[in-house]
Amino acid sequence: METRRAMPSSVLVLSQNYDPEPIGSGPYVAEMAAYLAAAGREVEVLTSRPNYPEGVVAEGYRRGERDRERLRGVEVRRLRPWFAGKRGTLGRLLSEGAFLLSGLLLLATGRLRRRDRVGALCPSIVTVLLGVLAT
């Protein structure tokens, strides 16, 4: 007799990119999170304010007015991104480090709840590290 593994009831998704970003990983992460929510899971996403691919925070998100919102059954929490003057390797590493530190601060203060199941999107190994620490 085959047994099916139950999906986790609560999932934290970590990704610097998310809806409404039109390209890159944002649309894929948003679809995955919405799928989990539609399947009855409690889903929270920790992400940055939308800024990809231009490197400029989208209108309607700049002052943090939508840092907490519910989209397609998913609780979305947005962090203010940090941008380097140049968008090279060092700038990207510093930006990813800022995301990590912001997430760690939320965990340390209890404003972000640890979960049994965490999905962290690469290419950022820093986001994966945050995912490990969030479980």
Side-chain angles (χ1 to χ4, degrees), residues 7-15 29 32 36 42-46 99 103 107 112-122 126-135:
M7 290 180 72
S9 62
S10 178
V11 179
L12 174 63
V13 177
L14 304 169
S15 175
V29 176
M32 178 190 66
L36 291 170
E42 174 192 326
V43 182
E44 182 177 7
V45 172
L46 181 65
F99 185 82
L107 282 171
L112 181 65
R113 191 167 52 97
R114 293 181 187 276
R115 304 297 201 311
D116 290 334
R117 301 288 187 259
V118 177
L121 182 73
C122 285
V126 174
T127 303
V128 173
L129 174 61
L130 180 58
V132 169
L133 297 172
T135 56

Side-chain angles (χ1 to χ4, degrees), residues 8-96:
S9 62
S10 178
V11 179
L12 174 63
V13 177
L14 304 169
S15 175
Q16 291 186 53
N17 302 101
Y18 196 74
D19 192 29
E21 294 172 331
I23 62 172
S25 59
Y28 299 107
V29 176
E31 285 300 315
M32 178 190 66
Y35 171 81
L36 291 170
R41 307 305 172 240
E42 174 192 326
V43 182
E44 182 177 7
V45 172
L46 181 65
T47 188
S48 293
R49 292 176 187 162
N51 65 79
Y52 188 79
E54 296 87 10
V56 175
V57 174
E59 188 65 42
Y61 291 88
R62 291 186 182 144
R63 293 186 309 270
E65 56 268 38
R66 294 172 71 183
D67 281 355
R68 295 293 300 256
E69 62 182 336
R70 191 161 189 82
L71 298 172
R72 296 171 58 192
V74 176
E75 191 66 34
V76 180
R77 179 186 302 219
R78 298 182 190 278
L79 302 173
R80 190 173 125 210
W82 181 86
F83 298 113
K86 291 177 127 179
R87 293 188 71 184
T89 303
L90 181 60
R92 183 175 178 138
L93 286 173
L94 292 172
S95 175
E96 292 176 6

